[in-house]
Amino acid sequence: MRYQFITAALAATAALQFAGPAAATDLEVTHWWTSGGEAAAVAEFAKAFDATGNHWVDGAIAGSGDTARPIMISRITGGDPMGATQFNHGRQAEELVKAGLMRDLTDLATKEHWKDVIRPASLLNECTVDGKVYCIPVNIHSWQWLWLSNKAFADAGVPVPKNWDEFVAAAPALEKAGKIPLAVGQQAWQTSGAFQVLMVAIGGPDIFKKVYGDKDAAVAGGPEVAKVFKAADDARKMQAKSKVQDWNQATNLVITGQAGGQIMGDWAQGEFQVAGQTAGKDYTCLPGLGVNAVIQTGGDSFYFPLLKDADKSKAQEVLASTMLSPATQVAFNLKKGSLPVRGDVDLNAANDCMKKGLDILAKGNTIPDTNQLMTEDSLTQVNDLFAEFFATPTMTPEDAQKRFADIVSKAD
């Protein structure tokens, strides 16, 4: 009840703050949130913005960010900008900002003290170019999770694993029970993301930073990363019968007990929630694969292209402010499965897995997201490699590692 009261009161305050005599303004917002959990979360943004007297025009683009981003960029560079658009934290919108196509939000950020409330500070730093703020972070999403179906392990007659090694050891029992040990969607970003998680868990955070941050090709081709490729080979074998395409389809295999687990970001929580499942009862989450408990400071930000229409430009400010308001941060992130970017919100309603993430964040055990460390071009090459590796059993881990080290040596 306390949470509901606080949320309702803050939402009313936000509506009063932005309500005015001006006519309602339609503002198109583009994003790639189309799964069940994602749709429930984005509806919270739309509801909060509509409460200000404006109108959210939903511009959802089906598919992953890899599908949506080229469309978004083409519209902006082609002179047909939307009111606001999603990108991941990091360097994805870097060229658009430098081309002068994105709106400077520095005055709003100063007025509303974003620097004082956004945590960790690196999130706002990722939105800052040459001292000016060009985006607003709305959540913290971390790849560093293994989601496990308690039903699948019960059916297989083995305990729910507590770490990656136990998970690998349980694979034969899962297969004997007719289960897919590891669910993986057949898209490049999913297989590449799984590898990143394995690197942090098996190689450690420092190895991850040296490879993706420092672009250290010697480390990428060295013995510590060789262990990671061995683990990736285990993952490849465990997902051999996982024939689904989209990430949420793979999550559904875990939800329905058809698969033992999935390496996926915390956005998977939204799917478990929509399915009516309870963390700790129906499913188990292992941050850092139960080996290295860290939170990756990835996630989503919204940028606001420059517009000629004065009313829409004003509405952009209202939307930015609304997205960061305490009430909206709570409502959105509870549905999305992500962590809020504000350090001053009440999250008593958080589930077991979100509380684990908040605890790790509070301890400062964080690492950057790859989007914050490498350009889109470099990451595309990495993604393509792991799509091929997971789909080609004849490619040896040694050969894949050599190609990976070569990509790292040329990355920027």
Side-chain angles (χ1 to χ4, degrees), residues 247-297:
W247 71 269
N248 52 307
Q249 293 174 320
T251 305
N252 188 61
L253 293 175
V254 179
I255 290 171
T256 56
Q258 298 176 68
Q262 178 191 23
I263 298 174
M264 185 51 59
D266 48 16
W267 48 90
Q269 284 196 87
E271 303 305 300
F272 286 103
Q273 183 169 306
V274 168
Q277 296 208 339
T278 302
K281 176 186 175 184
D282 301 303
Y283 66 98
T284 297
C285 53
L286 296 181
L289 307 189
V291 182
N292 273 307
V294 299
I295 288 295
Q296 207 163 14
T297 55

Side-chain angles (χ1 to χ4, degrees), residues 148-158 160 174 177 179 254-260 277 281-284:
L148 301 170
S149 167
N150 290 1
K151 181 182 185 302
F153 288 96
D155 290 348
V158 292
V160 176
L174 289 167
K179 312 291 183 181
V254 179
I255 290 171
T256 56
Q258 298 176 68
Q277 296 208 339
K281 176 186 175 184
D282 301 303
Y283 66 98
T284 297

